[in-house]
Amino acid sequence: MQTFFIAPTGFGVGLTSISLGLVGALERAGLKVGFFKPIAQPHPGDLGPERSSALIARTHGLHSPQPLSLAQVERMLGDGQLDELLEQIISLYQQAASDKDVVIVEGMVPTRHASYAARVNFHLAKSLDAEVILVSAPEDEPLSELSDRIEIQAQLFGGPQDPKVLGVMLNKVRSTDGIDAFAARLKELSPLLKTDDFRLLGCIPWQEQLNAPRTRDIADLLGARVINAGDYEQRRMLKIVLCARAVANTVQLLKPGVLVVTPGDRDDIILAASLAAMNGMPLAGLLLCSDFPPDPRIMELCRGALQSGLPVLSVTTGSYDTATDLNRLNKEIPVDDRERAERVSDFVASHIDYQWLRQRCGEPRELRMSPPAFRYQLVQRAQAANKRIVLPEGSEPRTVQAAAICQARGIARCVLLAKPEEVQIVARAHGIELPPGLEILDPDLIRNRYVAPMVELRKGKGLNAPMATQQLEDSVMLGTMMLALDEVDGLVSGAIHTTASTIRPALQLIKTAPGYNLVSSVFFMLLPDQVVVYGDCAVNPDPSAAELAEIALQSADSATAFGIEPRVAMISYSTGDSGSGEEVEKVREATRLARLARPELLLDGPLQYDAAAIDSVGRQKAPNSPVAGHATVFVFPDLNTGNTTYKAVQRSANCISVGPMLQGLRKPVNDLSRGALVDDIVYTIALTAIQAATLPA
């Protein structure tokens, strides 16, 4: 079992961000990761749990032992009880390390009040027999001074000649020449980095968006009065604009993520910001200062902006003091800001040399598909597939943003079906930067060329040209025709269309794949410790035994295609022979048929959910089952059970579900939930691209 001890070279290096990213990077490699923060160091104003441990628990589902309080540690050090302190910490560490392949231990941060932090970190690393990774952040200094600072810290742990001192991660790197050039210059200057004994293990660039607090955080930290909450839980402050100038000179400053700070009696600025909000500009909010309450008549005029989600806050301080307070705000990630923590984790992980660290850990006890590994592999495999995906809801804001992300990251070559001017308006209103190469096709300009091919495809159903022209007014039908003619590799729809509206054209024009008689769906459920497959939770209301067997085989194939070893549990309210009834008999017959069709597949049923999922229950209720307690694919007997279960697990366990992914079609068509978030659409596009690469030609 491997232990990495991360030790900061100073204050403000972003140690929590590195912890988040390092855990995420090693989980991507399929390792079972533990996290341990031995000693809590609360920031001023922290009243809740220790920040690093809480954020790791929320983003990665790793629950670590309660850290020792700083007061207790200082008392024991003052009493000369260092050995007793280390014994307590080792005991807690053993809890964090249980059944893990690797444990990340986060050291103390040196501060004015904790000047002893470096000495404690040295003893912790030695006591835990850990390999040390230094974490530093370049300041406004020559690279030679940064190199010296890193070398001094390395010497504190035994120097670079000590095989336990692995290297350094540089965080918050601001370089006009780019990260690679910065790293190359540092390696040239640093004697430490000229050999393989001490490595540059990560070089993480500064990114302003990752430090953007929610508008709600600003309200909390300033103690502001909330006049209108609006979307203050979701909106983030990227920039502060102190409005003292005339409105005409202010308009160009009203951009997405801007917090407009103005005295409460500046009616003109309040109205300008409100007009911008009503035109779709997602401002971070309006912060009224100088203890001037806004005129009620003006606020009545702004009602439309308030209803559109514009947050409005008020503070008593003047403009200058308010701006000063804003610039002094704590930039740490709040414990409850899971979205920001996940983005930081993913960003940092993408800049860490995790493959080299993975090799240091040796072979895992059991290679597993963790949620971070699943998401990472989705993106990597989609990028490698390089598929062209059509999005019929081309001017829908979430779809536009998801397409921009996928295009920019190379996840897929996206095609938006919409009028280009409409997409441009949506992009401007929501602050979306449309990357080069993003295709936007006007349906009115291309529709006619699909009429004749559609009549040919549907000639057996009596379709004529006028009927085809009318049906092609539906953008989903138009996109499906593009897929039928192999002009695109896949289709994603459903943000504003029903499931039936997405599937019906596919059944008419694409048809089922060879060997299959029906279309079904799966969700990939990203549980804290693993990813499992649920089917069918979206399409077939009451499948027969034969259809249920087919759904099981389709779901097993989908699991395999995405790197999940299929162990299929046919779910029922009864396990084995313990119960009877029409529904149980259907599941029993479906199990028999699926085994006949695929005898080599690990599949069993009927199984109750707990017997399928929980090892101890599985051993008790189905001791001879090859699946019980370890199922990775859960096949539900009907849509009522499947849909209810997936939503209950998703909401109650606060886990991400990716899907539904349709299976059984000759070409990939995937449906979205109408409540889908931008990330949901991105991952569905990635799923579709991978399907397009794995489906038989």
Side-chain angles (χ1 to χ4, degrees):
M1 206 268 305
Q2 190 75 29
T3 304
F4 293 131
F5 186 90
I6 56 172
T9 62
F11 181 76
V13 300
L15 201 61
T16 300
S17 299
I18 295 297
S19 293
L20 285 164
L22 189 53
V23 169
L26 293 173
E27 282 193 326
R28 285 178 177 181
L31 296 169
K32 199 164 187 180
V33 185
F35 176 79
F36 180 40
K37 173 78 171 177
I39 300 167
Q41 285 184 278
H43 293 267
D46 280 359
L47 301 174
E50 194 279 318
R51 193 180 294 260
S52 293
S53 302
L55 287 170
I56 293 284
R58 286 175 182 263
T59 55
H60 296 287
L62 304 181
H63 297 280
S64 14
Q66 182 74 25
L68 299 179
S69 71
L70 195 59
Q72 178 186 350
V73 170
E74 290 180 341
R75 186 170 61 251
M76 294 183 76
L77 290 175
D79 292 342
Q81 295 180 311
L82 176 62
D83 289 342
E84 289 84 350
L85 172 64
L86 294 173
E87 286 174 15
Q88 283 193 33
I89 288 172
I90 289 171
S91 173
L92 294 171
Y93 164 83
Q94 295 296 340
Q95 297 175 32
S98 176
D99 196 34
K100 300 294 190 292
D101 299 311
V102 57
V103 178
I104 311 302
V105 180
E106 184 181 299
M108 290 190 72
V109 178
T111 65
R112 255 184 331 149
H113 302 293
S115 55
Y116 52 84
R119 180 169 68 96
V120 170
N121 284 343
F122 168 78
H123 287 293
L124 284 172
K126 291 297 182 186
S127 300
L128 299 172
D129 193 28
E131 293 186 319
V132 176
I133 299 171
L134 300 178
V135 179
S136 192
E139 299 171 3
D140 188 12
E141 60 188 342
L143 284 182
S144 57
E145 291 184 15
L146 173 63
S147 173
D148 291 343
R149 183 150 51 90
I150 294 169
E151 184 167 1
I152 291 168
Q153 292 296 321
Q155 293 293 347
L156 293 176
F157 290 95
Q161 65 277 5
D162 188 331
K164 291 286 188 182
V165 182
L166 299 183
V168 65
M169 292 185 187
L170 296 178
N171 195 17
K172 306 180 182 180
V173 177
R174 303 174 191 250
S175 174
T176 54
D177 301 331
I179 290 298
D180 293 339
F182 178 90
R185 290 202 314 273
L186 181 62
K187 287 177 181 177
E188 287 175 12
L189 282 168
S190 173
L192 282 180
L193 296 170
K194 291 189 187 305
T195 70
D196 286 338
D197 295 332
F198 188 88
R199 304 174 67 93
L200 182 58
L201 295 168
C203 200
I204 298 99
W206 170 265
Q207 192 173 75
E208 193 69 48
Q209 292 88 339
L210 296 178
N211 291 279
R214 297 167 299 190
T215 308
R216 194 205 82 189
D217 301 327
I218 300 206
D220 292 343
L221 291 165
L222 292 180
R225 182 169 72 90
V226 179
I227 295 173
N228 186 65
D231 295 333
Y232 85 151
E233 292 275 4
Q234 290 82 37
R235 299 199 186 189
R236 294 183 180 275
M237 183 187 76
L238 295 172
K239 187 177 180 182
I240 302 164
V241 171
L242 183 59
C243 290
R245 58 182 77 181
V247 168
N249 297 320
T250 300
V251 171
Q252 69 270 22
L253 302 176
L254 301 179
K255 302 289 185 184
V258 161
L259 180 69
V260 179
V261 182
T262 189
D265 61 351
R266 285 294 302 270
D267 299 338
D268 53 344
I269 300 295
I270 295 172
L271 286 169
S274 296
L275 280 171
M278 290 170 68
N279 285 331
M281 182 61 66
L283 298 170
L286 187 58
L287 178 58
L288 307 178
C289 59
S290 303
D291 204 20
F292 290 123
D295 190 312
R297 295 168 296 180
I298 297 297
M299 296 309 289
E300 180 62 26
L301 282 175
C302 299
R303 182 187 295 178
L306 304 184
Q307 291 174 343
S308 75
L310 177 67
V312 181
L313 314 175
S314 173
V315 291
T316 58
T317 48
S319 300
Y320 177 80
D321 288 338
T322 301
T324 303
D325 290 343
L326 284 167
N327 285 318
R328 288 176 179 168
L329 286 179
N330 184 355
K331 299 296 195 299
E332 295 289 329
I333 306 172
V335 167
D336 65 346
D337 194 350
R338 179 173 175 173
E339 179 192 0
R340 182 175 163 196
E342 286 179 342
R343 290 187 177 182
V344 167
S345 178
D346 289 344
F347 182 76
V348 173
S350 67
H351 290 85
I352 287 176
D353 188 358
Y354 76 91
Q355 293 287 12
W356 187 85
L357 292 170
R358 162 75 177 78
Q359 292 171 6
R360 300 287 299 185
C361 298
E363 288 301 314
R365 289 182 175 88
E366 178 188 353
L367 195 62
R368 68 196 188 101
M369 181 62 75
S370 67
F374 180 77
R375 290 195 298 263
Y376 177 71
Q377 289 189 23
L378 270 187
V379 172
Q380 293 292 105
R381 291 179 62 190
Q383 289 170 336
N386 189 31
K387 296 299 181 181
R388 189 169 183 241
I389 307 299
V390 66
L391 307 170
E393 300 158 326
S395 59
E396 195 279 323
R398 293 165 295 164
T399 302
V400 174
Q401 188 169 351
I405 292 169
C406 289
Q407 189 74 32
R409 295 179 63 186
I411 292 170
R413 291 175 287 126
C414 292
V415 181
L416 294 171
L417 289 184
K419 291 190 174 297
E421 58 270 23
E422 291 180 1
V423 176
Q424 293 290 347
I425 290 170
V426 168
R428 283 195 299 271
H430 293 268
I432 302 167
E433 184 176 344
L434 299 178
L438 178 60
E439 286 187 78
I440 306 170
L441 298 181
D442 186 341
D444 292 340
L445 300 181
I446 65 171
R447 184 175 293 113
N448 286 340
R449 72 170 184 251
Y450 295 100
V451 172
M454 185 171 171
V455 169
E456 178 64 23
L457 277 174
R458 301 279 290 161
K459 61 185 178 183
K461 300 295 183 181
L463 188 75
N464 58 33
M467 293 165 63
T469 302
Q470 182 182 13
Q471 290 183 25
L472 286 167
E473 292 286 334
D474 176 8
S475 61
V476 179
M477 184 67 78
L478 181 60
T480 307
M481 271 304 302
M482 295 174 69
L483 180 60
L485 298 178
D486 293 325
E487 295 179 0
V488 294
D489 302 299
L491 178 147
V492 174
S493 179
I496 52 177
H497 285 85
T498 64
T499 296
S501 299
T502 299
I503 295 178
R504 189 182 303 110
L507 290 174
Q508 293 172 348
L509 302 171
I510 304 297
K511 310 296 173 95
T512 55
Y516 288 132
N517 299 307
L518 84 164
V519 174
S520 66
S521 72
V522 288
F523 281 91
F524 294 92
M525 305 297 293
L526 278 57
L527 304 177
D529 291 328
Q530 67 175 139
V531 178
V532 296
V533 175
Y534 282 6
D536 171 12
C537 303
V539 179
N540 296 284
D542 188 16
S544 66
E547 290 170 336
L548 196 58
E550 187 169 318
I551 291 169
L553 300 181
Q554 290 178 350
S555 302
D557 289 341
S558 293
T560 301
F562 287 88
I564 300 168
E565 183 183 347
R567 293 189 291 270
V568 185
M570 309 295 284
I571 300 301
S572 175
Y573 60 78
S574 171
T575 294
D577 298 323
S578 65
S580 61
E582 185 178 340
E583 290 301 312
V584 179
E585 291 305 322
K586 181 179 81 169
V587 174
R588 192 170 285 127
E589 175 64 8
T591 303
R592 186 186 70 81
L593 293 172
R595 283 174 173 166
L596 277 175
R598 201 85 62 83
E600 77 285 357
L601 182 64
L602 290 178
L603 180 145
D604 197 12
L607 289 170
Q608 291 165 288
Y609 189 96
D610 57 351
I614 309 299
D615 184 39
S616 59
V617 179
R619 286 199 307 270
Q620 178 187 356
K621 292 188 173 184
N624 300 317
S625 171
V627 169
H630 303 282
T632 56
V633 179
F634 296 77
V635 178
F636 297 99
D638 53 55
L639 187 58
N640 184 43
T641 307
N643 192 269
T644 302
T645 303
Y646 116 76
K647 286 187 181 295
V649 172
Q650 178 192 39
R651 299 299 180 184
S652 299
N654 195 27
C655 78
I656 297 171
S657 62
V658 179
M661 185 184 86
L662 300 182
Q663 48 192 15
L665 287 166
R666 285 192 305 112
K667 297 175 183 179
V669 172
N670 280 313
D671 179 43
L672 298 165
S673 162
R674 274 168 283 177
L677 303 175
V678 172
D679 282 350
D680 298 332
I681 302 175
V682 169
Y683 287 129
T684 303
I685 292 171
L687 280 173
T688 308
I690 296 168
Q691 272 186 297
T694 55
L695 284 174

PDB file of all heavy atoms in Angstrom, residues 137-160:
ATOM      1  N   ALA A 137       3.867  27.319  -5.170  1.00  0.00           N
ATOM      2  CA  ALA A 137       3.182  28.220  -6.101  1.00  0.00           C
ATOM      3  C   ALA A 137       4.134  29.370  -6.410  1.00  0.00           C
ATOM      4  O   ALA A 137       4.583  30.059  -5.485  1.00  0.00           O
ATOM      5  CB  ALA A 137       1.887  28.747  -5.500  1.00  0.00           C
ATOM      6  N   PRO A 138       4.491  29.555  -7.676  1.00  0.00           N
ATOM      7  CA  PRO A 138       5.407  30.650  -8.018  1.00  0.00           C
ATOM      8  C   PRO A 138       4.824  31.996  -7.615  1.00  0.00           C
ATOM      9  O   PRO A 138       3.651  32.279  -7.870  1.00  0.00           O
ATOM     10  CB  PRO A 138       5.535  30.538  -9.548  1.00  0.00           C
ATOM     11  CG  PRO A 138       5.083  29.166  -9.890  1.00  0.00           C
ATOM     12  CD  PRO A 138       4.070  28.788  -8.855  1.00  0.00           C
ATOM     13  N   GLU A 139       5.652  32.786  -6.964  1.00  0.00           N
ATOM     14  CA  GLU A 139       5.246  34.140  -6.628  1.00  0.00           C
ATOM     15  C   GLU A 139       5.875  35.077  -7.641  1.00  0.00           C
ATOM     16  O   GLU A 139       6.429  34.635  -8.640  1.00  0.00           O
ATOM     17  CB  GLU A 139       5.677  34.464  -5.186  1.00  0.00           C
ATOM     18  CG  GLU A 139       5.025  33.530  -4.163  1.00  0.00           C
ATOM     19  CD  GLU A 139       5.612  33.685  -2.760  1.00  0.00           C
ATOM     20  OE1 GLU A 139       6.486  34.561  -2.586  1.00  0.00           O
ATOM     21  OE2 GLU A 139       5.204  32.926  -1.873  1.00  0.00           O
ATOM     22  N   ASP A 140       5.779  36.371  -7.401  1.00  0.00           N
ATOM     23  CA  ASP A 140       6.393  37.343  -8.320  1.00  0.00           C
ATOM     24  C   ASP A 140       7.889  37.367  -8.030  1.00  0.00           C
ATOM     25  O   ASP A 140       8.401  38.253  -7.354  1.00  0.00           O
ATOM     26  CB  ASP A 140       5.765  38.721  -8.116  1.00  0.00           C
ATOM     27  CG  ASP A 140       6.217  39.715  -9.180  1.00  0.00           C
ATOM     28  OD1 ASP A 140       6.812  39.266 -10.172  1.00  0.00           O
ATOM     29  OD2 ASP A 140       5.984  40.931  -9.004  1.00  0.00           O
ATOM     30  N   GLU A 141       8.600  36.358  -8.556  1.00  0.00           N
ATOM     31  CA  GLU A 141      10.003  36.155  -8.211  1.00  0.00           C
ATOM     32  C   GLU A 141      10.731  35.547  -9.401  1.00  0.00           C
ATOM     33  O   GLU A 141      10.118  34.911 -10.264  1.00  0.00           O
ATOM     34  CB  GLU A 141      10.109  35.187  -7.018  1.00  0.00           C
ATOM     35  CG  GLU A 141       9.506  33.816  -7.336  1.00  0.00           C
ATOM     36  CD  GLU A 141       9.411  32.891  -6.126  1.00  0.00           C
ATOM     37  OE1 GLU A 141      10.091  33.151  -5.140  1.00  0.00           O
ATOM     38  OE2 GLU A 141       8.651  31.912  -6.216  1.00  0.00           O
ATOM     39  N   PRO A 142      12.038  35.699  -9.468  1.00  0.00           N
ATOM     40  CA  PRO A 142      12.802  35.020 -10.527  1.00  0.00           C
ATOM     41  C   PRO A 142      12.722  33.500 -10.343  1.00  0.00           C
ATOM     42  O   PRO A 142      12.572  33.003  -9.219  1.00  0.00           O
ATOM     43  CB  PRO A 142      14.235  35.525 -10.316  1.00  0.00           C
ATOM     44  CG  PRO A 142      14.115  36.755  -9.472  1.00  0.00           C
ATOM     45  CD  PRO A 142      12.886  36.574  -8.644  1.00  0.00           C
ATOM     46  N   LEU A 143      12.832  32.771 -11.445  1.00  0.00           N
ATOM     47  CA  LEU A 143      12.748  31.314 -11.359  1.00  0.00           C
ATOM     48  C   LEU A 143      13.872  30.734 -10.517  1.00  0.00           C
ATOM     49  O   LEU A 143      13.713  29.683  -9.896  1.00  0.00           O
ATOM     50  CB  LEU A 143      12.784  30.704 -12.767  1.00  0.00           C
ATOM     51  CG  LEU A 143      11.499  30.806 -13.582  1.00  0.00           C
ATOM     52  CD1 LEU A 143      11.658  30.132 -14.922  1.00  0.00           C
ATOM     53  CD2 LEU A 143      10.338  30.186 -12.830  1.00  0.00           C
ATOM     54  N   SER A 144      15.010  31.409 -10.482  1.00  0.00           N
ATOM     55  CA  SER A 144      16.121  30.911  -9.669  1.00  0.00           C
ATOM     56  C   SER A 144      15.749  30.908  -8.191  1.00  0.00           C
ATOM     57  O   SER A 144      16.120  29.989  -7.447  1.00  0.00           O
ATOM     58  CB  SER A 144      17.373  31.774  -9.891  1.00  0.00           C
ATOM     59  OG  SER A 144      17.086  33.138  -9.590  1.00  0.00           O
ATOM     60  N   GLU A 145      14.983  31.924  -7.745  1.00  0.00           N
ATOM     61  CA  GLU A 145      14.560  31.972  -6.341  1.00  0.00           C
ATOM     62  C   GLU A 145      13.524  30.880  -6.054  1.00  0.00           C
ATOM     63  O   GLU A 145      13.544  30.272  -4.974  1.00  0.00           O
ATOM     64  CB  GLU A 145      13.979  33.347  -6.007  1.00  0.00           C
ATOM     65  CG  GLU A 145      15.018  34.459  -5.994  1.00  0.00           C
ATOM     66  CD  GLU A 145      14.444  35.793  -5.558  1.00  0.00           C
ATOM     67  OE1 GLU A 145      13.323  35.802  -4.988  1.00  0.00           O
ATOM     68  OE2 GLU A 145      15.105  36.829  -5.776  1.00  0.00           O
ATOM     69  N   LEU A 146      12.629  30.634  -7.008  1.00  0.00           N
ATOM     70  CA  LEU A 146      11.662  29.541  -6.851  1.00  0.00           C
ATOM     71  C   LEU A 146      12.392  28.208  -6.726  1.00  0.00           C
ATOM     72  O   LEU A 146      12.072  27.383  -5.862  1.00  0.00           O
ATOM     73  CB  LEU A 146      10.708  29.507  -8.045  1.00  0.00           C
ATOM     74  CG  LEU A 146       9.748  28.314  -8.118  1.00  0.00           C
ATOM     75  CD1 LEU A 146       8.790  28.304  -6.929  1.00  0.00           C
ATOM     76  CD2 LEU A 146       8.960  28.331  -9.429  1.00  0.00           C
ATOM     77  N   SER A 147      13.413  28.007  -7.568  1.00  0.00           N
ATOM     78  CA  SER A 147      14.201  26.777  -7.522  1.00  0.00           C
ATOM     79  C   SER A 147      14.878  26.615  -6.163  1.00  0.00           C
ATOM     80  O   SER A 147      14.891  25.523  -5.580  1.00  0.00           O
ATOM     81  CB  SER A 147      15.251  26.794  -8.639  1.00  0.00           C
ATOM     82  OG  SER A 147      16.128  25.702  -8.525  1.00  0.00           O
ATOM     83  N   ASP A 148      15.432  27.717  -5.633  1.00  0.00           N
ATOM     84  CA  ASP A 148      16.100  27.656  -4.322  1.00  0.00           C
ATOM     85  C   ASP A 148      15.104  27.317  -3.218  1.00  0.00           C
ATOM     86  O   ASP A 148      15.413  26.530  -2.304  1.00  0.00           O
ATOM     87  CB  ASP A 148      16.767  29.008  -4.012  1.00  0.00           C
ATOM     88  CG  ASP A 148      17.959  29.290  -4.919  1.00  0.00           C
ATOM     89  OD1 ASP A 148      18.456  28.323  -5.546  1.00  0.00           O
ATOM     90  OD2 ASP A 148      18.371  30.464  -5.019  1.00  0.00           O
ATOM     91  N   ARG A 149      13.923  27.906  -3.304  1.00  0.00           N
ATOM     92  CA  ARG A 149      12.910  27.662  -2.277  1.00  0.00           C
ATOM     93  C   ARG A 149      12.498  26.189  -2.257  1.00  0.00           C
ATOM     94  O   ARG A 149      12.330  25.581  -1.195  1.00  0.00           O
ATOM     95  CB  ARG A 149      11.706  28.568  -2.540  1.00  0.00           C
ATOM     96  CG  ARG A 149      10.601  28.490  -1.510  1.00  0.00           C
ATOM     97  CD  ARG A 149       9.851  29.820  -1.400  1.00  0.00           C
ATOM     98  NE  ARG A 149       9.417  30.337  -2.671  1.00  0.00           N
ATOM     99  CZ  ARG A 149       8.234  30.063  -3.234  1.00  0.00           C
ATOM    100  NH1 ARG A 149       7.386  29.277  -2.601  1.00  0.00           N
ATOM    101  NH2 ARG A 149       7.891  30.586  -4.396  1.00  0.00           N
ATOM    102  N   ILE A 150      12.325  25.614  -3.445  1.00  0.00           N
ATOM    103  CA  ILE A 150      11.960  24.198  -3.531  1.00  0.00           C
ATOM    104  C   ILE A 150      13.082  23.329  -2.966  1.00  0.00           C
ATOM    105  O   ILE A 150      12.835  22.362  -2.228  1.00  0.00           O
ATOM    106  CB  ILE A 150      11.655  23.815  -4.994  1.00  0.00           C
ATOM    107  CG1 ILE A 150      10.398  24.550  -5.478  1.00  0.00           C
ATOM    108  CG2 ILE A 150      11.469  22.306  -5.130  1.00  0.00           C
ATOM    109  CD1 ILE A 150      10.165  24.443  -6.971  1.00  0.00           C
ATOM    110  N   GLU A 151      14.329  23.682  -3.278  1.00  0.00           N
ATOM    111  CA  GLU A 151      15.461  22.870  -2.801  1.00  0.00           C
ATOM    112  C   GLU A 151      15.566  22.925  -1.277  1.00  0.00           C
ATOM    113  O   GLU A 151      15.838  21.901  -0.626  1.00  0.00           O
ATOM    114  CB  GLU A 151      16.765  23.357  -3.431  1.00  0.00           C
ATOM    115  CG  GLU A 151      17.952  22.478  -3.053  1.00  0.00           C
ATOM    116  CD  GLU A 151      19.176  22.741  -3.904  1.00  0.00           C
ATOM    117  OE1 GLU A 151      19.126  23.616  -4.779  1.00  0.00           O
ATOM    118  OE2 GLU A 151      20.188  22.054  -3.676  1.00  0.00           O
ATOM    119  N   ILE A 152      15.342  24.104  -0.698  1.00  0.00           N
ATOM    120  CA  ILE A 152      15.393  24.228   0.764  1.00  0.00           C
ATOM    121  C   ILE A 152      14.350  23.322   1.408  1.00  0.00           C
ATOM    122  O   ILE A 152      14.623  22.615   2.388  1.00  0.00           O
ATOM    123  CB  ILE A 152      15.183  25.699   1.185  1.00  0.00           C
ATOM    124  CG1 ILE A 152      16.393  26.546   0.780  1.00  0.00           C
ATOM    125  CG2 ILE A 152      14.943  25.807   2.685  1.00  0.00           C
ATOM    126  CD1 ILE A 152      16.161  28.050   0.897  1.00  0.00           C
ATOM    127  N   GLN A 153      13.131  23.319   0.854  1.00  0.00           N
ATOM    128  CA  GLN A 153      12.081  22.474   1.414  1.00  0.00           C
ATOM    129  C   GLN A 153      12.392  20.991   1.231  1.00  0.00           C
ATOM    130  O   GLN A 153      12.107  20.172   2.107  1.00  0.00           O
ATOM    131  CB  GLN A 153      10.732  22.812   0.757  1.00  0.00           C
ATOM    132  CG  GLN A 153      10.195  24.191   1.115  1.00  0.00           C
ATOM    133  CD  GLN A 153       9.886  24.327   2.596  1.00  0.00           C
ATOM    134  OE1 GLN A 153       9.385  23.401   3.220  1.00  0.00           O
ATOM    135  NE2 GLN A 153      10.216  25.487   3.167  1.00  0.00           N
ATOM    136  N   ALA A 154      12.981  20.652   0.089  1.00  0.00           N
ATOM    137  CA  ALA A 154      13.351  19.248  -0.139  1.00  0.00           C
ATOM    138  C   ALA A 154      14.378  18.793   0.886  1.00  0.00           C
ATOM    139  O   ALA A 154      14.328  17.656   1.376  1.00  0.00           O
ATOM    140  CB  ALA A 154      13.889  19.078  -1.557  1.00  0.00           C
ATOM    141  N   GLN A 155      15.304  19.688   1.236  1.00  0.00           N
ATOM    142  CA  GLN A 155      16.333  19.340   2.230  1.00  0.00           C
ATOM    143  C   GLN A 155      15.722  19.048   3.599  1.00  0.00           C
ATOM    144  O   GLN A 155      16.230  18.217   4.358  1.00  0.00           O
ATOM    145  CB  GLN A 155      17.353  20.483   2.352  1.00  0.00           C
ATOM    146  CG  GLN A 155      18.205  20.718   1.118  1.00  0.00           C
ATOM    147  CD  GLN A 155      19.160  19.578   0.826  1.00  0.00           C
ATOM    148  OE1 GLN A 155      19.379  18.704   1.669  1.00  0.00           O
ATOM    149  NE2 GLN A 155      19.712  19.569  -0.380  1.00  0.00           N
ATOM    150  N   LEU A 156      14.599  19.704   3.917  1.00  0.00           N
ATOM    151  CA  LEU A 156      13.955  19.475   5.210  1.00  0.00           C
ATOM    152  C   LEU A 156      13.478  18.032   5.362  1.00  0.00           C
ATOM    153  O   LEU A 156      13.335  17.531   6.477  1.00  0.00           O
ATOM    154  CB  LEU A 156      12.765  20.429   5.390  1.00  0.00           C
ATOM    155  CG  LEU A 156      13.096  21.923   5.523  1.00  0.00           C
ATOM    156  CD1 LEU A 156      11.819  22.748   5.595  1.00  0.00           C
ATOM    157  CD2 LEU A 156      13.959  22.178   6.759  1.00  0.00           C
ATOM    158  N   PHE A 157      13.208  17.365   4.233  1.00  0.00           N
ATOM    159  CA  PHE A 157      12.738  15.973   4.274  1.00  0.00           C
ATOM    160  C   PHE A 157      13.845  14.976   3.928  1.00  0.00           C
ATOM    161  O   PHE A 157      13.571  13.814   3.666  1.00  0.00           O
ATOM    162  CB  PHE A 157      11.564  15.792   3.307  1.00  0.00           C
ATOM    163  CG  PHE A 157      10.313  16.476   3.756  1.00  0.00           C
ATOM    164  CD1 PHE A 157      10.002  17.749   3.307  1.00  0.00           C
ATOM    165  CD2 PHE A 157       9.444  15.859   4.647  1.00  0.00           C
ATOM    166  CE1 PHE A 157       8.851  18.395   3.718  1.00  0.00           C
ATOM    167  CE2 PHE A 157       8.289  16.493   5.069  1.00  0.00           C
ATOM    168  CZ  PHE A 157       7.990  17.767   4.607  1.00  0.00           C
ATOM    169  N   GLY A 158      15.079  15.433   3.928  1.00  0.00           N
ATOM    170  CA  GLY A 158      16.190  14.527   3.647  1.00  0.00           C
ATOM    171  C   GLY A 158      16.895  14.811   2.354  1.00  0.00           C
ATOM    172  O   GLY A 158      17.876  14.131   2.012  1.00  0.00           O
ATOM    173  N   GLY A 159      16.394  15.779   1.587  1.00  0.00           N
ATOM    174  CA  GLY A 159      17.056  16.158   0.351  1.00  0.00           C
ATOM    175  C   GLY A 159      16.633  15.307  -0.824  1.00  0.00           C
ATOM    176  O   GLY A 159      16.053  14.232  -0.671  1.00  0.00           O
ATOM    177  N   PRO A 160      16.940  15.764  -2.044  1.00  0.00           N
ATOM    178  CA  PRO A 160      16.540  15.035  -3.249  1.00  0.00           C
ATOM    179  C   PRO A 160      17.201  13.677  -3.384  1.00  0.00           C
ATOM    180  O   PRO A 160      16.712  12.825  -4.118  1.00  0.00           O
ATOM    181  CB  PRO A 160      16.978  15.981  -4.382  1.00  0.00           C
ATOM    182  CG  PRO A 160      18.016  16.870  -3.774  1.00  0.00           C
ATOM    183  CD  PRO A 160      17.651  17.016  -2.338  1.00  0.00           C
TER     184      PRO A 160
END
